[in-house]
Amino acid sequence: MSDQTSQRPGRSATTRSVTTPSKYVSLRNWEVLGTAVFNIFVFTLLIVYLFPMLYMLTTSFMEGYQLGDRNAPIYPSRQTDFEYDGKARKIYTVPFGDETRELALVSPGRKSSEFIDPQNPEAGLITWEGNWRQLIGVYEFHATWDNFSILFRALRLPQMLRNTLLLALITEVGVLFSSIVVAYGFARFPLPGGDLLFYLLIATILIPEKVTLIPTYFIYARVLGWDGTWLPIMLPFFFGNAIYIFLLRQNFKSIPKDLDEAAMLDGAGPIRTLFSVVLPQSWPVVITVSLLHFFFMWNETRQAALYLSTRRDLSPISFGIQNFQSLAPIQNQLQASALLIMIVPVLILIFSQRHFMRNLIITGSEG
Amino acid sequence: MKTTKRRQTRFRLRYDKTTGLLLISPWLIGFVLFKLLPILASFGLSLTDFHMLKPEETSFIGLANYVRLFQDEAIGYLIAFTLNSAIRTVPLQLAASIFLAALLSNPRLKAPTMTRTLFFVPSIIPGVAIAFMWYGFMDPATGWLNRFILPFFGLAGFNDMYSDAAAAFLYSISSLWAIGPGMLIMLGAMQSISSEINEAARVDGAGPLVRFFRITLPMVTPAIFFTLIINLIAVFGGVILLDRGNTFRGGGVPFDRYITYWMFEQWDLGYAAGLAWFFFVIVMIVIIALFSSSRRWVYFPDRES
């Protein structure tokens, strides 16, 4: 088919447009069906892709004993109780021949156990032959906040959160201001050596961290005595960040120069032109870059591990929670800490999705 | 008339190299202070037996650290491991981001922004959370993998979380949770392909697969190239765009860890600097090779005209 039509493209176009109405209707049905199948496929893929997150979400609301119970459902739950004789009795699914009944266990035994029917307790005890341990319980939904309150007691979460927010805020101001100014320089001004400096900027993105780390660590920690402070983490950001500069420059270049030139004709200097003319047209990319930086700082643990391991009170939240693993190796608490630490960036991403996602996508088409 | 001309020349003077240099000076200073000087200092250190605790006893030992490096048995293992992890993750990440970008750029997709965001979510969460989730998910006793997923497919449960095979699997699978930026950049590139080209091909009778391989893929090669670079740098332990910190136990790539070992456990900064320089040279060779190969397979619209 493809060979035939490619020989005579003009004719195939005409045959396509002349379709009988009935054929056209079936074609539309195919379209609808195709769209449905396609969306179901993408949605299934999404669930599979995020499956460990569903595990994390449900486990973080579970009580510890549910983890040990292999018959428990996947959602946070507990075994349903029935109060009988002043005590809470657990309800099990008990088989009697072909049918099963939901009964509360009163006195367990290895060979036979006695149950009571919660629907009809007056009927008295029912004896069932068999090992009660093989019975499957009846569960009801039950979520608990305990894991989170344990975390709040075990970790100084407010302090760690404050540290992260402070670090993010201070470096945000520094990195945005310097990157914007530098990107403006790269976007609008001739530079000695032509594009050479710009290629150098791109190259610095690719330099492995370790090759610069050894002397800088020695200077920071041993010469300047900045071990246990935020200074080594914050300082480099005040000199701009290559990838942000790159993103901002791409955007500044796409803004027409006319308005800049008009402002300059009116006697505005480069910095004033940047902030009164160029920047107001670039808010989307500036916000995108600041969100990228926030995510970066929120997740930062490398530098913190180097300089803050002796000062737990200055530790940002990701680093603090990383150390929590050794304190409490219980899955439900670990999952609760995972939820706690990811909820902020995820919520920010979801609230800013229209903006953030669109601008990164646009960056892709320009890059 | 005369005044405007004078004004224009005055204005032109403003767009000069000095102002440009002044504007980019923060970066330039940062580049010299945090990149250039440390790289040179690293090289200088690598020629000495500099020790963290007794810097005053440093002496120049020439290339002895590099000779030692070539005799170090760990190096071969580290290079093999890095290569291995590159093979295990980079093609997988590339294929997954192309596939997802193709799906998510399809106009049939409902709620496109939300769907894209949800696919992007794993790429912004901290490495710590990822490690907790995957370790928990695969936990032999309580994780869902053993409790629901493997039994559902009739497979035997898997018991040794800390085996090499499990670590390798975890590493590959979790690398799929880092494809966000590459995926978005490819999505952007796919959306910017003019619909006329696709329409023309469709009229010529090209099916969706032919169109994808003959039109879409060649036109997004710049995005593929960029994604390849991001993913490779991540294999070498570097960071582009989004960092998640160290994901799994021990953290970082083995080469990084080996350098850290010589730095913080042996305090032998001379040898650590030698290792770092060796690593730096390897990374640079790979990147230069990639960039020079890009001329052959990456489509640059500017170059055609």
Side-chain angles (χ1 to χ4, degrees):
Chain A
M1 153 106 195
S2 132
D3 283 353
Q4 243 184 13
T5 44
S6 60
Q7 280 164 6
R8 282 170 295 175
R11 229 193 105 186
S12 88
T14 39
T15 36
R16 249 166 212 269
S17 56
V18 188
T19 28
T20 54
S22 69
K23 234 181 174 178
Y24 178 71
V25 169
S26 74
L27 207 69
R28 265 199 61 178
N29 287 341
W30 271 114
E31 284 287 304
V32 172
L33 187 69
T35 306
V37 169
F38 175 78
N39 279 289
I40 291 169
F41 175 69
V42 172
F43 188 68
T44 317
L45 198 68
L46 182 65
I47 302 251
V48 170
Y49 189 60
L50 300 183
F51 219 51
M53 272 185 205
L54 293 178
Y55 160 80
M56 178 274 299
L57 208 61
T58 61
T59 309
S60 57
F61 290 102
M62 277 181 192
E63 295 213 36
Y65 61 78
Q66 192 187 343
L67 289 169
D69 186 351
R70 290 195 72 91
N71 293 322
I74 53 175
Y75 55 85
S77 58
R78 68 172 163 212
Q79 213 170 334
T80 314
D81 286 334
F82 174 69
E83 199 171 307
Y84 176 74
D85 231 10
K87 265 187 177 168
R89 320 278 178 172
K90 293 208 164 7
I91 298 182
Y92 289 89
T93 314
V94 187
F96 285 97
D98 289 340
E99 56 176 328
T100 56
R101 292 171 70 183
E102 293 187 354
L103 301 177
L105 182 62
V106 178
S107 64
R110 206 173 290 167
K111 293 251 170 66
S112 72
S113 309
E114 298 198 309
F115 291 87
I116 189 88
D117 191 347
Q119 312 284 308
N120 185 13
E122 281 75 36
L125 293 174
I126 305 163
T127 311
W128 177 75
E129 304 289 325
N131 189 347
W132 69 274
R133 284 184 190 277
Q134 280 161 1
L135 294 174
I136 292 172
V138 175
Y139 295 88
E140 62 186 6
F141 180 82
H142 168 71
T144 174
W145 291 100
D146 284 1
N147 299 320
F148 297 96
S149 51
I150 289 169
L151 278 176
F152 271 90
R153 264 179 277 135
L155 296 167
R156 292 183 192 157
L157 284 173
Q159 189 187 49
M160 296 195 305
L161 187 66
R162 195 207 62 191
N163 289 342
T164 292
L165 291 181
L166 259 180
L167 258 174
L169 195 75
I170 297 171
T171 55
E172 190 89 76
V173 172
V175 81
L176 274 185
F177 184 78
S178 53
S179 298
I180 286 171
V181 170
V182 172
Y184 180 60
F186 273 118
R188 287 282 200 267
F189 291 82
L191 291 167
D195 284 339
L196 195 73
L197 281 171
F198 184 66
Y199 291 137
L200 200 62
L201 173 92
I202 301 299
T204 59
I205 301 172
L206 308 172
I207 295 173
E209 181 197 16
K210 276 290 185 299
V211 75
T212 55
L213 174 75
I214 295 167
T216 41
Y217 176 80
F218 187 78
I219 303 257
Y220 288 149
R222 303 273 152 179
V223 179
L224 298 170
W226 287 355
D227 206 2
T229 69
W230 286 347
L231 287 171
I233 303 174
M234 296 192 304
L235 189 68
F237 286 111
F238 286 82
F239 297 89
N241 175 299
I243 192 92
Y244 305 157
I245 295 173
F246 173 76
L247 292 175
L248 289 161
R249 170 192 176 266
Q250 297 301 94
N251 189 271
F252 292 166
K253 268 188 106 79
S254 70
I255 297 172
K257 248 178 164 180
D258 315 3
L259 276 170
D260 290 38
E261 294 183 346
M264 285 224 178
L265 274 175
D266 286 346
I271 291 286
R272 244 195 80 193
T273 312
L274 167 61
F275 283 98
S276 58
V277 179
V278 179
L279 213 51
Q281 301 177 69
S282 315
W283 282 124
V285 72
V286 171
I287 294 171
T288 305
V289 165
S290 51
L291 284 171
L292 273 174
H293 182 71
F294 178 78
F295 294 144
F296 182 91
M297 282 315 281
W298 183 273
N299 294 352
E300 212 288 321
T301 55
R302 291 163 198 254
Q303 307 293 318
L306 282 177
Y307 301 104
L308 297 177
S309 49
T310 51
R311 289 290 301 274
R312 285 292 140 93
D313 55 321
L314 291 177
S315 160
I317 194 156
S318 291
F319 184 57
I321 289 206
Q322 193 166 40
N323 296 316
F324 176 64
Q325 194 175 15
S326 48
L327 295 177
I330 310 160
Q331 282 305 341
N332 53 348
Q333 284 168 33
L334 284 181
Q335 301 311 324
S337 69
L339 178 60
L340 263 187
I341 194 163
M342 60 179 276
I343 195 75
V344 174
V346 169
L347 284 182
I348 290 181
L349 177 69
I350 287 176
F351 281 122
S352 63
Q353 54 170 323
R354 291 217 161 269
H355 187 87
F356 182 77
M357 301 295 284
R358 224 197 72 212
N359 280 293
L360 272 190
I361 291 171
I362 289 171
T363 314
S365 50
E366 280 168 1
Chain B
M1 184 75 196
K2 221 171 189 175
T3 46
T4 43
K5 201 162 195 182
R6 195 178 56 84
R7 270 196 172 180
Q8 260 179 5
T9 44
R10 212 180 82 196
F11 150 66
R12 274 221 185 85
L13 276 176
R14 283 264 173 85
Y15 272 117
D16 59 0
K17 289 182 178 173
T18 326
T19 321
L21 260 186
L22 219 62
L23 284 170
I24 69 160
S25 62
W27 169 73
L28 216 49
I29 294 167
F31 168 71
V32 172
L33 279 184
F34 300 109
K35 302 279 177 190
L36 191 61
L37 284 181
I39 289 174
L40 295 178
S42 261
F43 187 66
L45 276 180
S46 73
L47 302 176
T48 67
D49 58 358
F50 192 88
H51 196 275
M52 182 102 77
L53 302 179
K54 28 184 193 203
E56 59 287 343
E57 287 173 28
T58 304
S59 58
F60 182 78
I61 56 165
L63 293 173
N65 277 327
Y66 291 95
V67 174
R68 191 173 150 198
L69 192 147
F70 281 105
Q71 288 160 350
D72 192 335
E73 281 172 4
I75 300 295
Y77 163 78
L78 292 175
I79 292 176
F81 192 99
T82 310
L83 206 66
N84 191 4
S85 43
I87 292 169
R88 278 204 319 256
T89 59
V90 175
L92 190 68
Q93 289 176 313
L94 269 182
S97 40
I98 292 173
F99 179 65
L100 275 184
L103 283 186
L104 300 181
S105 62
N106 193 316
R108 285 168 188 253
L109 185 70
K110 303 283 175 212
T113 312
M114 193 65 201
T115 316
R116 288 167 192 165
T117 308
L118 288 175
F119 273 108
F120 193 75
V121 158
S123 299
I124 58 142
I125 56 183
V128 195
I130 292 176
F132 287 2
M133 273 188 261
W134 278 98
Y135 274 124
F137 186 70
M138 292 175 65
D139 188 273
T142 59
W144 280 9
L145 189 69
N146 264 7
R147 283 189 58 192
F148 305 106
I149 295 168
L150 292 180
F152 181 79
F153 291 105
L155 296 167
F158 124 118
N159 290 314
D160 195 1
M161 271 282 294
Y162 300 104
S163 65
D164 287 349
F169 174 72
L170 209 60
Y171 185 71
S172 304
I173 213 86
S174 66
S175 74
L176 286 180
W177 268 22
I179 58 171
M183 178 190 82
L184 277 193
I185 281 154
M186 259 184 241
L187 183 63
M190 284 183 190
Q191 286 181 331
S192 69
I193 299 175
S194 79
S195 54
E196 285 152 35
I197 300 178
N198 262 317
E199 201 49 39
R202 210 173 65 93
V203 167
D204 280 358
L209 275 181
V210 173
R211 270 179 283 147
F212 180 74
F213 284 106
R214 292 288 169 80
I215 298 172
T216 311
L217 268 191
M219 290 200 74
V220 300
T221 41
I224 295 177
F225 181 64
F226 182 78
T227 314
L228 187 64
I229 298 273
I230 296 186
N231 294 343
L232 262 183
I233 294 293
V235 169
F236 291 126
V239 176
I240 293 182
L241 271 181
L242 290 167
D243 180 29
R244 305 191 301 177
N246 298 326
T247 313
F248 293 117
R249 211 161 284 262
V253 294
F255 228 111
D256 267 2
R257 265 192 309 210
Y258 194 58
I259 296 171
T260 314
Y261 165 78
W262 281 99
M263 237 181 120
F264 293 107
E265 282 171 45
Q266 301 293 322
W267 308 103
D268 189 345
L269 290 195
Y271 189 51
L275 285 170
W277 247 84
F278 178 68
F279 188 49
F280 172 58
V281 169
I282 291 183
V283 174
M284 284 298 133
I285 287 174
V286 170
I287 284 167
I288 289 168
L290 261 181
F291 268 92
S292 47
S293 83
S294 72
R295 282 190 200 117
R296 252 169 281 146
W297 62 274
V298 178
Y299 164 75
F300 292 106
D302 304 346
R303 217 172 269 172
E304 298 233 318
S305 51

